[in-house]
């Protein structure tokens, strides 16, 4: 369980406090690129809930499927 899960951070807070005010403007700014962008999130409950998924679809945000319990193999982290 992540630290935010332990503190009671939930899907409604994630959408209201993170997704809409911060990630959506960033996503919209760069989604016009030729290949567009996809969001990658970990398996935190507020990332994977039906509530968050519904809002992400309504906002038109593409989301990359990420297998549960997979090692973090993001190559940019080595830079």
């Amino acid at each position: 369980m992540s630290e935010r899960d332990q503190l009671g951070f939930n899907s409604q807070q994630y959408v209201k406090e993170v997704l809409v005010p911060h990630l959506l403007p960033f996503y919209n700014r760069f989604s016009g690129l030729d290949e567009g962008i996809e969001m990658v999130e970990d398996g935190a409950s507020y990332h994977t809930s039906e509530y968050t998924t519904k809002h992400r679809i309504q906002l038109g945000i593409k989301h990359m499927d990420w297998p549960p319990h997979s090692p973090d193999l993001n190559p940019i982290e080595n830079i």
Side-chain angles (χ1 to χ4, degrees), residues 16-47:
K16 181 182 176 184
E17 298 174 21
V18 178
L19 188 66
V20 172
H22 300 288
L23 295 178
L24 182 60
F26 176 83
Y27 181 86
N28 287 337
R29 181 175 180 167
F30 292 100
S31 65
L33 300 175
D34 290 337
E35 297 178 23
I37 62 171
E38 292 183 10
M39 268 181 51
V40 177
E41 298 171 309
D42 62 18
S45 60
Y46 47 86
H47 290 162

Side-chain angles (χ1 to χ4, degrees), residues 1-77:
M1 184 179 287
S2 75
E3 182 179 337
R4 282 199 182 247
D5 283 334
Q6 292 172 1
L7 297 174
F9 197 74
N10 62 40
S11 300
Q12 291 82 11
Q13 288 172 300
Y14 174 70
V15 169
K16 181 182 176 184
E17 298 174 21
V18 178
L19 188 66
V20 172
H22 300 288
L23 295 178
L24 182 60
F26 176 83
Y27 181 86
N28 287 337
R29 181 175 180 167
F30 292 100
S31 65
L33 300 175
D34 290 337
E35 297 178 23
I37 62 171
E38 292 183 10
M39 268 181 51
V40 177
E41 298 171 309
D42 62 18
S45 60
Y46 47 86
H47 290 162
T48 59
S49 72
E50 288 183 39
Y51 183 86
T52 301
T53 301
K54 178 183 80 171
H55 282 82
R56 190 182 303 112
I57 291 169
Q58 288 176 344
L59 295 169
I61 297 174
K62 294 180 185 175
H63 183 259
M64 182 182 292
D65 289 328
W66 202 252
H69 308 294
S70 69
D72 192 1
L73 299 176
N74 189 346
I76 197 165
E77 289 187 8

